């Protein structure tokens, strides 16, 4: 079983593995973490079999380690994501993501009449619910629910 | 409250509200107090609202202050493509206080972050209109002699009506019982019901009100606002959902009063106007005293 997994997405020597990403949100995770601008080696796989999610995506980033604040941002789109910190092919630490209290500059307010959708403003949200992620806009005070989340 | 912007009704505490109401009482007894001499207030109305603008400008004039500004965005640099950010930054240089009405929700909060002077939100889209809420509280206290333990009927557009939303939040400090009357299309959004449930405040939802208004201490009528609808068909279906007529008031409580944020269209028939329970025109007058109270309080003059 382990051999099969390694064949699908190759192992990394050092870096971070982000596992249990919902496949439909893989590119949102890439966007949130700014991986499209990183020059390190990145491999990803999607629509992989998962006992927990049915299908999952996985990202392996060589020689990159994230701060908790950075990685928690992906909780908006991948609340069940797990991180493995790899050194010399060994998992030395496992982490789960946590929805932060405040979301700044990542999510677009779903309200078309919100000022943030009409001027060049960094969006700010207070997390109203961490369970079924809902975000209250600090400007228009409207709630953006999880299925409405669009990454800026 | 000095130098604190008033963007949302949630920016002020219960004590702040009561202080504003008490100050407004003083201005009602003596409206011409020249405490704003030498001060300049900018009224920036990016969308027209004659009533609110005149109320604020009248308040400033009675206080001896001066006014600069514009009454709709066509007469400002917005037509040249200037951003709100730049407008606010520039106008902050010229005044001691900004009163702003803007069609986009959240614009007042944004303006308060940029401005170097306090900002009073005179309405940001369908979001907030806190000075209206304070004048509503003032009118309720004045007519009922108290704010606590009242039966408040809110009728009409409860979905988009920002005055309704703010009043619900503000009155929640005073143990009200709410009766929400609206067609299904314009029901109160769930977030407010969740708030009331969490606060343990009683509320009832109805589609009709004629047989229950004998219980009311306050009837708060609202207009179905065309500009808040994205779907014109939905507007046409609901615009004439309720009309209050004079004959409906015969069994209502003696102290009951009818409030309306104005302007009204069809929701209160003119035959109600001469009924002593019709309070909406005096309510609008109260707005001037409240705005005097807010301005002087924010500028630290009272």
């Amino acid at each position: 079983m382990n051999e099969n997994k390694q064949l699908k997405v190759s192992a990394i020597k050092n870096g971070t593995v982000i596992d249990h990403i919902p496949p439909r949100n893989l590119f949102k995770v890439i966007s949130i973490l700014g991986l499209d601008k990183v020059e390190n080696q990145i491999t990803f796989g999607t629509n992989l079999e998962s006992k927990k999610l049915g299908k999952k995506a996985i990202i392996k980033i060589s020689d990159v380690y994230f701060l908790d604040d950075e990685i928690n941002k992906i909780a908006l789109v991948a609340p069940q994501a797990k991180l493995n910190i790899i050194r010399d092919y060994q998992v030395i630490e496992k982490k789960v993501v946590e929805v932060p209290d405040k979301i700044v500059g990542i999510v677009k307010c779903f309200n078309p009449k919100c000022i943030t959708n009409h001027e060049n403003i960094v969006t700010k949200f207070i997390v109203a619910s961490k369970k079924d992620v809902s975000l209250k806009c600090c400007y228009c005070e409207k709630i953006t629910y999880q299925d409405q989340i669009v990454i800026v | 409250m000095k130098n604190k912007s008033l963007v949302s009704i949630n920016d002020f505490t219960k004590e702040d509200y009561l202080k504003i109401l008490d100050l407004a009482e003083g201005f009602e007894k003596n409206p011409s107090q020249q405490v704003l001499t030498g001060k300049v207030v900018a009224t920036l109305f990016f969308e027209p609202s004659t009533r609110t603008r005149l109320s604020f400008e009248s308040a400033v004039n009675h206080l001896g202050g001066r006014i600069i500004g514009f009454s709709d965005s066509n007469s400002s640099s917005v037509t040249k493509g200037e951003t709100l950010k730049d407008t606010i930054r520039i106008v902050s240089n010229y005044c001691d206080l900004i009163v702003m009405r803007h069609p986009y929700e959240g614009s007042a909060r944004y303006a308060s972050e940029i401005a170097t002077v306090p900002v009073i939100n005179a309405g940001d889209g369908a979001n907030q209109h806190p000075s209206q809420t304070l004048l509503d509280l003032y009118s309720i206290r004045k007519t009922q002699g108290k704010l606590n333990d009242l039966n408040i009927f809110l009728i009409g557009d409860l979905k988009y009506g920002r005055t309704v939303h703010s009043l619900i939040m503000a009155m929640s400090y005073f143990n009200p019982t709410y009766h929400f009357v609206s067609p299904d299309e314009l029901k109160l959004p769930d977030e407010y019901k969740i708030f009331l449930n969490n606060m343990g405040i009683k509320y009832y939802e109805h589609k009709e009100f004629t047989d229950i208004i004998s219980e009311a201490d306050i009837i708060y009528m609202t207009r179905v606002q065309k500009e808040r609808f994205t779907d014109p068909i939905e507007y046409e279906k609901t615009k004439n959902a309720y009309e209050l007529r004079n004959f409906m008031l015969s069994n209502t409580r003696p102290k009951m009063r009818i409030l309306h944020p104005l302007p009204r269209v069809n929701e209160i028939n003119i035959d109600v106007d001469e009924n002593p329970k019709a309070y909406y025109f005096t309510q609008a007058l109260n707005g001037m005293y409240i705005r005097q109270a807010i301005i002087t309080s924010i500028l630290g003059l009272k």
Side-chain angles (χ1 to χ4, degrees):
Chain A
M1 194 67 186
N2 277 341
E3 270 176 35
N4 274 346
K5 275 189 180 176
Q6 281 175 8
L7 284 172
K8 282 173 184 162
V9 184
S10 60
I12 54 172
K13 186 178 180 190
N14 294 301
T16 306
V17 175
I18 308 170
D19 201 358
H20 293 108
I21 301 167
R24 68 178 184 286
N25 288 342
L26 169 64
F27 290 97
K28 286 184 181 173
V29 171
I30 290 172
S31 172
I32 289 171
L33 294 176
L35 299 181
D36 46 346
K37 297 173 195 80
V38 169
E39 293 194 350
N40 300 51
Q41 183 183 306
I42 300 170
T43 54
F44 65 81
T46 188
N47 296 323
L48 305 171
E49 279 177 33
S50 162
K51 280 180 192 160
K52 231 186 223 175
L53 303 175
K55 300 266 184 187
K56 68 172 183 178
I58 188 167
I59 304 173
K60 300 188 178 192
I61 313 127
S62 292
D63 302 314
V64 172
Y65 302 97
F66 297 95
L67 298 171
D68 286 352
D69 282 356
E70 287 178 289
I71 210 72
N72 282 341
K73 292 173 185 173
I74 71 167
L76 295 175
V77 293
Q80 292 172 302
K82 295 204 168 46
L83 268 82
N84 293 326
I85 313 300
I86 313 287
R87 290 198 195 275
D88 200 20
Y89 294 107
Q90 298 297 311
V91 177
I92 59 150
E93 192 183 351
K94 285 177 179 281
K95 288 183 182 179
V96 289
V97 297
E98 268 181 48
V99 180
D101 297 327
K102 206 170 179 185
I103 305 290
V104 178
I106 300 170
V107 176
K108 184 174 156 33
C109 180
F110 94 104
N111 175 11
K113 288 194 165 179
C114 179
I115 187 72
T116 59
N117 288 316
H118 297 272
E119 293 228 355
N120 187 13
I121 300 171
V122 176
T123 60
K124 276 189 265 179
F125 297 88
I126 301 290
V127 176
S129 166
K130 292 194 177 186
K131 197 177 164 221
D132 304 312
V133 182
S134 61
L135 311 174
K136 185 174 183 180
C137 177
C138 293
Y139 292 99
C140 75
E141 304 182 19
K142 298 285 179 297
I143 304 274
T144 298
Y145 292 97
Q146 191 163 27
D147 57 352
Q148 297 165 325
I149 288 176
V150 173
I151 304 302
V152 175
Chain B
M1 277 179 274
K2 191 180 176 186
N3 289 327
K4 188 176 166 187
S5 291
L6 176 55
V7 170
S8 162
I9 197 67
N10 307 320
D11 290 348
F12 278 14
T13 62
K14 179 184 174 184
E15 287 68 36
D16 292 336
Y17 296 163
L18 296 175
K19 187 196 167 189
I20 296 279
L21 302 195
D22 292 344
L23 276 175
E25 266 182 16
F27 283 114
E28 181 166 359
K29 287 179 192 135
N30 177 16
S32 294
Q33 302 179 37
Q34 304 294 299
V35 293
L36 220 56
T37 307
K39 302 279 186 194
V40 176
V41 175
T43 53
L44 310 184
F45 278 64
F46 292 87
E47 68 175 6
S49 173
T50 311
R51 205 166 276 95
T52 301
R53 182 173 59 83
L54 292 182
S55 175
F56 269 108
E57 294 187 353
S58 176
V60 174
N61 275 304
H62 275 93
L63 296 169
R66 290 176 182 273
I67 294 159
I68 58 170
F70 49 84
S71 55
D72 73 81
S73 57
N74 290 331
S75 56
S76 80
S77 290
V78 172
T79 52
K80 299 174 188 170
E82 186 176 59
T83 60
L84 175 61
K85 183 179 184 179
D86 287 3
T87 307
I88 295 297
R89 193 170 280 173
I90 298 294
V91 174
S92 287
N93 296 331
Y94 303 149
C95 65
D96 300 285
L97 176 72
I98 291 173
V99 177
M100 189 180 96
R101 158 74 65 113
H102 198 283
Y104 291 137
E105 293 153 27
S107 53
R109 179 71 64 201
Y110 182 53
S112 75
E113 290 178 353
I114 294 158
T116 53
V117 296
V119 172
I120 296 176
N121 182 6
D124 59 333
N127 186 32
Q128 285 273 339
H129 192 5
S131 65
Q132 175 71 46
T133 305
L134 285 161
L135 82 87
D136 291 342
L137 288 186
Y138 185 70
S139 299
I140 292 170
R141 188 173 82 168
K142 196 171 142 189
T143 60
Q144 305 301 311
K146 63 176 186 176
L147 283 168
N148 287 304
D149 309 317
L150 296 170
N151 280 339
I152 314 277
F153 279 58
L154 296 154
I155 301 172
D157 176 6
L158 309 185
K159 182 177 179 184
Y160 298 105
R162 63 183 170 201
T163 56
V164 166
H165 301 162
S166 299
L167 187 60
I168 288 170
M169 306 298 271
M171 280 299 293
S172 63
Y173 288 116
F174 305 103
N175 191 38
T177 300
Y178 293 114
H179 291 263
F180 301 126
V181 184
S182 70
D184 279 341
E185 296 88 338
L186 296 174
K187 277 174 82 169
L188 189 73
D190 285 345
E191 63 201 83
Y192 296 99
K193 292 181 217 166
I194 293 167
F195 168 79
L196 294 174
N197 289 336
N198 290 342
M199 296 281 289
I201 292 171
K202 278 184 284 187
Y203 66 88
Y204 304 92
E205 291 186 287
H206 314 274
K207 287 184 187 169
E208 297 297 334
F209 66 96
T210 43
D211 54 342
I212 47 173
I213 55 170
S214 58
E215 299 294 314
D217 295 306
I218 291 290
I219 293 178
Y220 195 96
M221 297 295 294
T222 63
R223 177 171 62 101
V224 176
Q225 296 180 81
K226 192 176 184 178
E227 62 271 29
R228 304 291 172 226
F229 281 77
T230 48
D231 180 357
I233 296 168
E234 197 183 347
Y235 170 70
E236 289 302 322
K237 277 198 295 195
T238 53
K239 67 177 181 184
N240 294 325
Y242 303 110
E243 185 186 16
L244 189 65
R245 300 287 305 268
N246 194 41
F247 72 86
M248 300 173 182
L249 302 172
S250 52
N251 290 326
T252 52
R253 291 179 175 175
K255 272 172 74 176
M256 189 279 284
R257 291 293 178 270
I258 303 152
L259 272 58
H260 189 303
L262 300 181
R264 58 138 169 217
V265 185
N266 300 320
E267 58 279 1
I268 302 178
N269 191 288
I270 55 165
D271 71 6
V272 177
D273 291 358
E274 301 312 315
N275 191 311
K277 293 172 183 174
Y279 193 73
Y280 28 92
F281 295 122
T282 312
Q283 179 190 1
L285 172 64
N286 291 340
M288 190 185 79
Y289 309 132
I290 277 291
R291 282 155 185 146
Q292 287 182 295
I294 294 169
I295 290 167
T296 52
S297 182
I298 281 178
L299 290 176
L301 302 169
K302 282 274 179 182

